[in-house]
């Protein structure tokens, strides 16, 4: 029996889920997709994702791969999965056939996250659970300056969760940029891969800078301490979005 | 007893409400605000809004006025109303003292709406109830060309709800512009005032153009027919946002 591998581009609202990964009790994005596949074609398959987002974290560009036996039109597959997942907030934006050497997680060359902040006194009415609401006015310039401390290759021990299972705490950040418009701020952060809670740990620490409690030097000292206890508060999951995963052309050639 | 008038700038998610206006049975935005005011200071007052948005229609810049006896710090008022409305999705962004001749509805010089469309095969996961999901690919150029038919002063009988209570069907549109980015489209529409269901009737008609069923000439003929039956389908409320209301400087001077 031959298997065909499919690459899925996925959007989801992380609010009602325990995260990407299957857990025993709570509904996960992975389980939602796996159950939709079974409902569509009867096959029990595992869905492999590029990034294991935490509970409450969203995605506009998560990528996953699955192997199915038999021949399935990619558009039909996408539409069927979306129909079976209704009304849960998970949507397959695109499905395409790929070769068996494409791996959503291990072939990923670059991951992009966006962290959204609403910076005003009034709570969000339209973006509840979709932004980090910060009441105190933030100093954009100071935050952007401090963020440059993170760019490049560093030991991010300070900014990884205690339960992080990565072998090495060294990561290489290629982008850490603040885009502001009115009372809305977006952090754009890119790297080949991230440690567990890394983006939220860095964004939470930069909030201390924006509020005037920490300087860029304090952030540098925290990074150099290589000590989890030197980290600022961890930002809530609400504002975090996995927006894109890049692969080399070779990994994406049609099967 | 002297009364002080306050101008409120309000954001809301229209999904759980029967609309702006109080109704007997269902919760409205107006009622939510009025009950929060009573909870804050014990006064039973009426909240007058600039635009009576329909059920499911959102606002990022609705304006209202209220009269309160006694002296209230505007920031305290805003924060107290927001605290009392929690967890309902209504948020007072700003409160300020104004003179008694300021009227949120009758002093309004210009109203601005945005209508958001998600144009792709996959359903929205993150913007459910917040966009109009249109699967068929839309022709942006044809839609923008047809939209110019509406700009200027016209008799909009074709594009008003049967139950519209305005005395005149004549309105003057100053802007009807399409802003597109990827699979997201936004119509920006401005006028001193609008007829009931006018924006949704026009946007629904322009969808027929985007799908290739109607031409700009068909839209012109529908407008000139001055007949409600010539209108295309009315767009759903989900994508509509009241984004801004303009007043002249004189109407906003501090009290």
């Amino acid at each position: 029996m031959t298997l065909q591998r499919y690459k899925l581009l996925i959007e989801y609202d992380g609010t009602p889920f325990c995260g990407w990964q299957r857990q025993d009790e709570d509904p996960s994005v992975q389980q939602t997709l796996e159950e939709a596949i079974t409902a569509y074609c009867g096959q029990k398959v595992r869905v492999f994702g590029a990034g294991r987002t935490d509970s409450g974290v969203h995605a506009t560009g998560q990528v996953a791969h699955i192997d199915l036996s038999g021949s399935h039109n990619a558009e039909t597959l996408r539409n069927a999965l979306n129909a079976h997942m209704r009304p849960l907030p998970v949507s397959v934006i695109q499905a395409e056939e790929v070769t068996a050497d494409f791996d959503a997680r291990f072939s990923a060359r670059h991951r992009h996250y966006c962290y959204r902040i609403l910076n005003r006194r009034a709570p969000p009415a339209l973006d509840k659970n979709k932004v980090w609401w910060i009441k105190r006015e933030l100093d954009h310039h100071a935050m952007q300056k401090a963020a440059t401390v993170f760019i490049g290759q560093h030991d991010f021990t300070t900014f990884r969760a205690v339960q992080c299972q990565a072998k090495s705490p060294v990561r290489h950040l290629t982008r850490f940029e603040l885009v502001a418009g009115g009372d809305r701020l977006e952090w754009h952060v890119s790297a080949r891969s991230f440690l567990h809670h890394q983006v939220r740990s860095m964004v939470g620490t930069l909030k201390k800078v924006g509020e005037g409690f920490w300087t860029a030097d304090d952030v540098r000292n925290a990074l150099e301490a290589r000590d989890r206890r030197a980290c600022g508060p961890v930002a809530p999951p609400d504002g975090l979005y996995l927006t894109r995963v890049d692969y080399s052309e070779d990994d994406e050639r049609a099967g």
Side-chain angles (χ1 to χ4, degrees), chain A residues 222-237:
Chain A
L223 178 66
E224 290 174 357
R226 298 176 197 182
D227 180 345
R228 180 62 176 163
R229 291 166 299 179
C231 184
V234 175

Side-chain angles (χ1 to χ4, degrees), chain A residues 34-190:
Chain A
E34 290 172 355
E35 290 178 354
I37 293 164
T38 305
Y40 159 60
C41 64
Q43 298 177 46
K44 292 208 171 189
V45 302
R46 178 140 177 225
V47 178
F48 295 88
R52 284 165 294 176
T53 55
D54 283 314
S55 177
V57 174
H58 316 291
T60 57
Q62 171 75 283
V63 174
H65 76 259
I66 54 171
D67 293 322
L68 293 181
S69 64
S71 180
H72 305 272
N73 174 276
E75 285 201 20
T76 305
L77 171 64
R78 177 195 62 195
N79 297 344
L81 296 186
N82 287 335
H84 283 292
M85 291 191 291
R86 204 170 297 161
L88 288 169
V90 182
S91 185
V92 176
I93 300 171
Q94 204 177 14
E96 56 180 316
E97 296 187 359
V98 288
T99 52
D101 58 353
F102 172 84
D103 186 291
R105 182 172 171 201
F106 296 108
S107 307
R109 292 279 183 273
H110 228 73
R111 290 168 170 84
H112 306 271
Y113 281 90
C114 174
Y115 196 100
R116 293 187 187 158
I117 292 168
L118 179 66
N119 188 206
R120 69 179 190 195
R121 292 292 309 178
L126 275 158
D127 293 302
K128 205 183 162 191
N129 301 319
K130 304 287 187 351
V131 294
W132 186 12
W133 172 39
I134 298 176
K135 286 187 251 189
R136 191 188 296 258
E137 195 176 350
L138 298 171
D139 180 336
H140 300 187
H141 180 72
M143 286 200 296
Q144 179 62 78
K145 188 183 157 208
T148 61
V149 167
F150 294 128
I151 294 174
Q153 184 166 302
H154 303 282
D155 178 331
F156 284 99
T157 296
T158 302
F159 301 95
R160 71 192 288 197
V162 175
Q163 67 269 36
C164 179
Q165 289 168 7
K167 280 179 195 145
S168 165
V170 176
R171 289 294 184 272
H172 188 118
L173 264 63
T174 54
R175 186 186 185 197
F176 207 131
E177 193 182 340
L178 186 66
V179 176
D183 52 18
R184 291 174 183 277
L185 282 67
E186 290 184 356
W187 283 113
H188 293 271
V189 193
S190 303

